[in-house]
Amino acid sequence: MAAELHVELVAADRSVWSGEATLVVARTTSGDIGVMPGHQPLLGVLESGPVTIRTSEGATVVAAVHGGFISFADDKLSLLAEIAELADEIDVERAERALERAKSDTDAASERRAEVRLRAVAAH
């Protein structure tokens, strides 16, 4: 059996995804990071961006994450997000409308959230 790590992706309001994985890629304030089994312990701040999880079964799970923290130790990875949603839960038309509305209102934070949601869907 290949080495794996236990992953918990949790948003402020719910558990988004939990399971075994061989690789997780996330964006931190220091840049993109890939975490595999045996990685050095880490604690970091998540930036808004897609998180990609390669499951032990070979599937790929993508989520749009908006802020939070990442923690890894003893082959256990925790992603504690302010907001997180799986790519297959995202309503693309709604995200596109939100992006247009944010651009017209010059709301940079809302524009960034909508862009991340659309990037997560595209990566999925």
Side-chain angles (χ1 to χ4, degrees):
M1 181 162 98
E4 53 189 36
L5 55 124
H6 183 75
V7 179
E8 294 284 337
L9 173 57
V10 180
D13 60 344
R14 68 186 178 120
S15 175
V16 178
W17 190 87
S18 177
E20 305 306 311
T22 58
L23 172 68
V24 176
V25 178
R27 174 153 298 164
T28 70
T29 54
S30 300
D32 288 352
I33 186 167
V35 179
M36 297 174 72
H39 195 283
Q40 291 292 331
L42 74 91
L43 179 62
V45 177
L46 289 170
E47 290 273 320
S48 290
V51 168
T52 303
I53 302 167
R54 179 83 34 86
T55 70
S56 296
E57 293 82 30
T60 300
V61 175
V62 180
V65 172
H66 308 282
F69 298 93
I70 183 171
S71 170
F72 181 77
D74 300 322
D75 286 332
K76 292 181 179 80
L77 179 71
S78 298
L79 299 146
L80 309 171
E82 294 171 23
I83 301 169
E85 52 193 325
L86 296 173
D88 57 5
E89 297 174 342
I90 296 171
D91 180 337
V92 175
E93 291 177 6
R94 183 173 175 225
E96 289 171 342
R97 286 192 307 271
L99 178 58
E100 291 307 314
R101 189 172 43 255
K103 284 181 178 179
S104 67
D105 294 345
T106 61
D107 182 349
S110 293
E111 185 175 341
R112 176 82 177 135
R113 281 191 303 273
E115 287 173 345
V116 167
R117 294 174 80 215
L118 292 170
R119 282 185 22 231
V121 169
H124 185 265

